[in-house]
C-alpha cells in the first residue's frame, strides 16, 4: 500500500496538518445524514406541536405579523410568510447556484453523460403530474398538481446515505444530476403556473434590476455589496409585481458567473502566500486572503458560504413552519377519502418510480443512453422510489396553490404519507435486489470491462491476456512497477495488453489528482504513454508549473493542455476511474487485475508472469475482449 514513508525515500505530504480540516467522503455522507435527521426532527416537532395541548399556539405564532415600513411604504408579512417568501429565497438562491455550476463546470457539461438522468428527471416531473390529474381532473384540487413534481434533494441524499445499497457512489451522482433538473422544472412551474395578477410597473423595474445584476461581474471592485443591494431590490420588485419573490434567489444565482479556478489567479495567490511566508505582516496576509478568495468563482464562494446555513437553519425552520398538520380524527378521516391526498401519494410514490425507472429503461432499450459502471436498473429503481420523498418544495407549493386551510392539511398529510412510503419502498428495493443479486465480492472482480474506446492500452487491443493496473502517478511503488510492467510485456509480446486506470490517493499524495488530470490532457493529444513516464521520473516535482514544463517537453500544445486539464471532460474521466475503484473498495496502489480477477500478493515480474501464464492455461479458449474506438493504444 502506498504510504508517505520517509524511510522509503519518499517525502511526507505537504501541509499534513491541513488535511485535518478537509472534508472526507465519510464526512460528506455524515453531514448529509445529519441534515436529513435534522429536517426530520423539525418535521416531527412541528407535527407534535400542532397536535399538542398547545396546538393553538402553533397557528398563532406562525400567523403573527411583522410590519416593515420605509417612509410611506409598508410591508406586512406573517412569520410563516417571512419564512416562505424571504428565508426560502436563500434556499432557492443556493439551488440556482448549484444549477448554474452543474451546467457550466459540473456533471451537466457533458451532454452525453447527463442524458439519462436528465430525461429521467423530465419523466419524473411529467408522469407524477399526469397521475395526479387523473385522480383530480377538475376543480380547485387540479391546480395543486405542482405539489407532486419535485423531489426533496436534502431528504433524498440523506435517505440514500441511511438506507441505500452498498457502494452507492454512482447512484448518488445519478440522483444529484436528476435532482438538479428536477429543481429547474419545479422552479419553472412556480414561475409560470403559480404567479397571479402580474403588475406591469414593478415587473419592468425587476427586468431592469436583472440587467444591472448581469453587469455586476464587470465591476472592478465592490461586486459583493452590489449583488446584495440589487438582489434585495429585486425581491421587493417581484413581490410588488405579484411574482413569487423567492424566484429572485434563482434569478440572481443564474446571473452570477461560475467557472473553474483560473490559472493566473491560482498562480497569483501562490505568489502572495509565499510572500507572506517570507515576511508575515498584515498587508501580505490581507492580500493573500483576497488572492485565494478571488481564485475561485463567486458561485463557488457563495455555495460554500450559504450551504451550511440553508441546510442546518433555513430548511429546518421551514419544516417547523409548514409541516404542522393537525392529525386529529377529522383531518385523517378527510385525508383518507380525499382525492387530493391520494392524488399526491400516487403522484409522488408511483409517478416518480414509474417516470424515472421507465425513462431509464426506455433510453437503454433504444440505445440512446447508458448507465455508469456499477449502476444498474435495480439501483435506479431504488433511487426512483426514494425520489418520491417530496417535502420542501412540495409543502412550499401547497401553501401557494391551495387557498383552503382544510385542503392544505389534507395535502400535507398526503405529502408526509408519500414521503414515508417512498422511504420504505426505496429501502425494500435496495434490500431485496441486493439479496437477489448480491454486489460483487469487494474488489474481487473488475467493475468495468476493458474498453478500447476509453481505456489507455499498451499492446494489441485484441490480445488474449489482459493486465489492468489501478495506479497513482505520485506513488513511489507505482513508479517502481513500471520496470516490472516492461518485463512482463516483453515476455508475452503481442499476447498481452496492459491497461492503466487512475486511483489517485489524494489523502497522502497531494498532487495525485492534478497529475492524473494532466495525463488525461496529454491523452487528448495522443501522448498519454509519452507523458506518464516523465511524471514517474519526477515524482518530487509535480507542481502545476512542472506539469506544464513536462507537457512542453513531450511536444504538447501547452495552451490546449492547460485548458483540457480544467475541462469537465478530463475531470469526469478521472472521476470515473475513482468511482470504479471506490465501488471495488480499492485503497492501495498499485492494484492489479489479471483478466477481470484481482491479483493478490507480490507484483514483481516473475509473479505476474506466472499468474498470467496460469490464467492462459485455464482459459485457452477465452478472449480478453475486442473492440474498436479511440482509446489510447500504443
Amino acid at each position: 500500500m502506498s504510504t508517505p514513508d520517509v524511510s522509503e525515500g519518499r517525502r511526507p505530504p505537504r501541509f499534513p496538518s491541513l488535511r485535518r480540516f478537509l472534508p472526507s467522503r465519510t464526512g460528506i455522507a455524515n453531514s448529509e445524514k445529519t441534515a436529513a435527521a435534522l429536517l426530520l426532527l423539525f418535521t416531527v416537532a412541528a407535527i407534535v406541536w400542532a397536535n399538542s395541548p398547545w396546538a393553538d399556539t402553533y397557528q398563532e405564532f406562525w400567523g403573527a405579523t411583522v410590519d416593515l415600513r420605509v417612509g410611506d411604504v409598508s410591508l406586512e408579512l406573517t412569520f410563516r410568510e417571512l419564512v416562505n417568501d424571504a428565508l426560502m429565497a436563500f434556499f432557492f438562491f443556493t439551488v440556482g447556484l448549484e444549477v448554474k455550476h452543474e451546467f457550466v463546470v459540473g456533471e451537466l457539461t457533458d451532454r452525453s453523460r447527463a442524458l439519462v438522468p436528465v430525461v429521467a428527471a423530465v419523466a419524473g416531473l411529467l408522469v407524477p403530474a399526469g397521475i395526479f390529474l387523473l385522480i383530480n381532473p377538475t376543480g380547485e384540487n387540479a391546480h395543486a398538481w405542482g405539489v407532486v413534481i419535485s423531489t426533496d434533494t436534502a431528504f433524498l441524499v440523506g435517505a440514500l446515505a441511511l438506507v441505500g445499497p452498498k457502494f452507492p457512489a454512482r447512484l448518488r451522482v445519478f440522483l444529484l444530476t436528476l435532482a438538479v433538473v428536477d429543481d429547474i422544472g419545479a422552479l419553472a412551474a412556480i414561475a409560470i403556473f403559480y404567479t397571479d395578477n402580474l403588475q406591469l410597473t414593478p415587473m419592468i423595474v425587476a427586468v431592469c434590476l436583472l440587467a444591472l445584476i448581469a453587469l455586476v461581474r464587470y465591476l472592478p471592485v465592490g461586486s459583493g455589496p452590489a449583488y446584495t443591494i440589487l438582489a434585495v431590490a429585486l425581491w421587493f420588485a417581484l413581490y410588488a409585481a405579484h411574482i413569487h419573490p423567492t424566484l429572485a434567489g434563482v434569478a440572481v444565482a443564474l446571473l452570477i458567473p461560475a467557472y473553474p479556478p483560473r490559472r493566473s489567479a491560482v498562480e497569483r495567490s501562490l505568489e502572495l502566500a509565499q510572500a507572506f511566508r517570507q515576511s508575515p505582516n498584515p498587508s501580505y496576509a490581507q492580500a493573500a486572503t483576497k488572492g485565494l478568495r478571488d481564485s475561485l468563482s463567486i458561485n463557488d464562494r457563495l455555495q460554500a458560504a450559504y450551504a451550511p446555513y440553508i441546510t442546518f437553519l433555513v430548511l429546518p425552520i421551514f419544516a417547523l413552519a409548514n409541516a404542522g398538520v393537525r392529525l386529529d380524527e377529522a383531518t385523517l378521516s378527510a385525508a383518507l377519502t380525499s382525492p387530493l391526498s391520494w392524488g399526491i401519494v400516487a403522484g409522488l410514490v408511483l409517478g416518480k418510480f414509474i417516470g424515472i425507472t421507465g425513462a431509464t429503461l426506455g433510453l437503454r432499450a433504444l440505445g440512446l443512453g447508458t448507465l455508469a459502471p456499477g449502476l444498474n436498473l435495480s439501483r435506479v429503481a431504488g433511487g426512483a422510489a426514494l425520489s418520491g420523498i417530496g417535502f420542501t418544495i412540495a409543502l412550499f407549493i401547497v401553501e401557494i396553490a391551495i387557498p383552503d386551510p382544510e385542503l392544505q392539511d389534507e395535502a400535507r398529510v398526503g405529502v408526509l404519507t408519500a414521503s414515508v412510503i417512498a422511504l420504505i419502498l426505496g429501502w425494500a428495493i435496495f434490500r431485496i435486489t441486493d439479496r437477489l443479486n448480491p454486489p460483487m465480492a469487494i474488489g474481487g472482480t473488475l467493475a468495468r470491462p476493458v474498453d478500447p474506446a476509453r481505456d489507455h492500452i499498451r499492446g494489441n487491443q485484441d490480445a488474449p491476456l489482459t493486465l489492468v493496473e489501478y495506479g497513482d502517478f505520485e506513488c513511489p511503488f507505482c513508479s517502481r512497477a513500471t520496470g516490472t510492467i516492461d518485463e512482463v510485456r516483453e515476455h508475452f509480446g503481442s499476447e498481452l495488453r496492459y491497461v492503466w486506470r487512475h486511483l489517485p490517493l489524494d489523502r497522502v499524495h497531494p498532487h495525485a489528482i492534478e497529475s492524473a488530470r494532466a495525463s488525461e490532457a496529454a491523452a487528448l493529444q495522443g501522448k498519454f504513454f509519452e507523458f506518464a513516464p516523465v511524471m514517474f521520473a519526477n515524482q518530487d516535482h509535480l507542481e502545476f508549473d512542472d506539469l506544464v514544463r513536462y507537457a512542453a517537453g513531450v511536444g504538447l500544445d501547452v495552451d490546449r493542455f492547460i485548458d483540457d486539464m480544467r475541462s469537465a471532460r478530463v475531470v469526469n474521466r478521472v472521476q470515473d476511474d475513482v468511482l470504479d475503484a471506490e465501488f471495488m473498495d480499492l485503497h492501495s496502489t498499485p492494484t492489479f487485475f489479471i483478466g477481470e480477477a484481482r491479483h493478490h500478493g507480490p507484483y514483481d515480474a516473475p509473479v505476474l508472469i506466472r499468474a498470467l501464464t496460469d490464467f492462459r492455461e485455464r482459459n485457452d479458449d477465452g478472449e480478453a475482449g475486442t473492440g474498436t474506438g479511440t482509446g489510447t493504444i500504443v
Side-chain angles (χ1 to χ4, degrees):
M1 178 174 179
S2 174
T3 57
D5 188 351
V6 177
S7 66
E8 294 288 342
R10 175 70 176 147
R11 77 189 193 289
R14 294 187 179 184
F15 316 120
S17 61
L18 184 61
R19 298 279 167 179
R20 296 183 289 115
F21 300 98
L22 300 179
S24 64
R25 286 190 179 90
T26 303
I28 293 172
N30 287 338
S31 68
E32 290 170 350
K33 290 180 182 180
T34 302
L38 191 62
L39 201 54
L40 179 62
L41 176 64
F42 274 72
T43 300
V44 173
I47 294 172
V48 170
W49 185 3
N51 292 276
S52 70
W54 305 278
D56 291 342
T57 64
Y58 181 82
Q59 296 299 339
E60 290 174 1
F61 176 79
W62 293 110
T65 60
V66 176
D67 191 9
L68 303 176
R69 292 183 178 275
V70 179
D72 295 331
V73 179
S74 65
L75 179 66
E76 186 177 285
L77 297 171
T78 65
F79 279 171
R80 180 175 287 115
E81 289 172 337
L82 193 62
V83 171
N84 292 351
D85 293 355
L87 280 183
M88 285 301 286
F90 289 97
F91 166 74
F92 287 112
F93 176 69
T94 58
V95 170
L97 289 173
E98 180 184 5
V99 168
K100 178 69 174 284
H101 183 273
E102 291 300 320
F103 270 103
V104 175
V105 296
E107 287 288 331
L108 299 183
T109 55
D110 187 340
R111 302 302 180 250
S112 61
R113 172 191 292 269
L115 180 63
V116 176
V118 167
V119 174
V122 173
L125 293 167
L126 298 178
V127 175
I131 290 177
F132 178 87
L133 290 173
L134 284 176
I135 300 173
N136 298 272
T138 59
E140 60 181 339
N141 288 354
H143 189 56
W145 59 267
V147 174
V148 301
I149 65 174
S150 182
T151 295
D152 188 284
T153 305
F155 260 134
L156 176 65
V157 295
L160 183 65
L162 288 170
V163 305
K166 291 182 179 179
F167 320 120
R170 293 286 189 186
L171 179 58
R172 185 180 182 277
V173 172
F174 179 93
L175 291 178
L176 285 177
T177 304
L178 183 146
V180 169
V181 182
D182 184 283
D183 288 337
I184 295 172
L187 296 174
I190 293 171
I192 297 170
F193 299 104
Y194 294 105
T195 295
D196 299 318
N197 303 319
L198 187 65
Q199 298 296 307
L200 184 58
T201 301
M203 181 62 192
I204 293 173
V205 173
V207 171
C208 294
L209 289 169
L210 287 171
L212 291 175
I213 291 170
L215 296 173
V216 168
R217 70 176 67 191
Y218 300 109
L219 289 178
V221 293
S223 60
Y227 276 124
T228 302
I229 294 170
L230 292 173
V232 171
L234 179 63
W235 187 94
F236 279 102
L238 292 179
Y239 186 90
H242 293 178
I243 297 174
H244 209 278
T246 52
L247 293 176
V250 182
V252 173
L254 294 179
L255 291 172
I256 287 177
Y259 47 81
R262 293 171 175 166
R263 177 190 176 195
S264 59
V266 172
E267 291 177 345
R268 175 61 177 161
S269 65
L270 177 61
E271 292 173 1
L272 292 168
Q274 290 173 338
F276 176 73
R277 182 181 182 183
Q278 294 172 0
S279 178
N281 63 73
S283 297
Y284 281 173
Q286 186 178 19
T289 301
K290 184 177 184 301
L292 288 169
R293 184 180 67 248
D294 291 346
S295 67
L296 297 174
S297 73
I298 191 170
N299 179 291
D300 291 326
R301 302 202 302 268
L302 289 173
Q303 282 197 67
Y306 279 101
Y309 297 102
I310 301 302
T311 301
F312 298 109
L313 183 63
V314 173
L315 290 181
I317 291 175
F318 172 83
L320 189 64
N322 290 273
V325 57
R326 188 163 180 80
L327 300 178
D328 55 20
E329 184 177 352
T331 301
L332 292 176
S333 297
L336 191 62
T337 58
S338 169
L340 175 61
S341 298
W342 285 111
I344 290 173
V345 172
L348 285 171
V349 177
L350 296 179
K352 288 290 184 182
F353 179 78
I354 294 171
I356 295 170
T357 308
T360 303
L361 181 62
L363 284 173
R364 293 184 68 192
L366 294 172
L368 299 177
T370 58
L371 294 176
L375 182 60
N376 54 36
L377 193 62
S378 64
R379 293 194 168 211
V380 172
L386 289 183
S387 297
I389 301 175
F391 188 80
T392 305
I393 296 182
L395 292 180
F396 184 80
I397 295 178
V398 164
E399 186 73 19
I400 62 178
I402 305 172
D404 187 334
E406 292 184 0
L407 290 179
Q408 286 182 358
D409 281 345
E410 293 177 17
R412 292 187 183 107
V413 170
V415 171
L416 296 175
T417 302
S419 298
V420 172
I421 294 174
L423 179 65
I424 295 172
L425 179 61
W427 172 83
I429 290 174
F430 289 136
R431 297 290 85 78
I432 292 171
T433 55
D434 277 359
R435 184 177 294 273
L436 294 177
N437 184 24
M440 69 173 68
I442 296 178
T445 305
L446 196 64
R448 169 169 47 82
V450 174
D451 180 4
R454 80 178 290 282
D455 279 314
H456 304 299
I457 300 173
R458 297 190 72 181
N460 176 16
Q461 67 179 24
D462 298 323
L465 298 176
T466 299
L467 178 64
V468 179
E469 177 183 359
Y470 278 85
D472 175 333
F473 289 113
E474 203 174 2
C475 165
F477 304 106
C478 294
S479 177
R480 295 169 193 167
T482 57
T484 296
I485 302 304
D486 290 340
E487 289 185 44
V488 173
R489 291 186 63 236
E490 183 178 359
H491 178 86
F492 287 102
S494 62
E495 290 186 286
L496 176 71
R497 61 178 180 177
Y498 164 74
V499 181
W500 168 276
R501 289 180 178 174
H502 302 287
L503 178 50
L505 303 178
D506 58 309
R507 294 185 67 82
V508 291
H509 300 145
H511 307 99
I513 289 179
E514 190 161 47
S515 298
R517 293 174 180 173
S519 73
E520 289 300 327
L524 292 178
Q525 299 186 46
K527 294 196 175 183
F528 178 87
F529 286 110
E530 288 86 347
F531 190 77
V534 179
M535 290 193 292
F536 277 134
N538 296 277
Q539 288 188 318
D540 288 331
H541 304 284
L542 293 176
E543 300 287 352
F544 178 80
D545 286 344
D546 297 323
L547 298 174
V548 172
R549 189 171 68 255
Y550 304 151
V554 298
L556 297 178
D557 180 331
V558 172
D559 290 336
R560 178 184 169 191
F561 172 83
I562 293 171
D563 291 339
D564 285 339
M565 275 188 67
R566 308 294 190 216
S567 69
R569 178 180 180 182
V570 162
V571 170
N572 290 332
R573 172 66 177 77
V574 173
Q575 184 67 6
D576 280 345
D577 283 357
V578 171
L579 290 176
D580 287 340
E582 181 178 318
F583 181 78
M584 295 183 291
D585 200 31
L586 306 184
H587 299 294
S588 62
T589 55
T591 295
F592 290 97
F593 288 79
I594 307 293
E596 293 191 351
R598 183 173 177 180
H599 171 76
H600 294 279
Y603 47 83
D604 55 278
V607 169
L608 290 179
I609 290 171
R610 185 166 58 250
L612 285 160
T613 301
D614 291 343
F615 175 85
R616 181 175 56 188
E617 292 174 355
R618 292 193 307 269
N619 299 275
D620 285 336
D621 298 326
E623 293 184 356
T626 61
T628 60
T630 58
T632 304
I633 302 173
V634 177

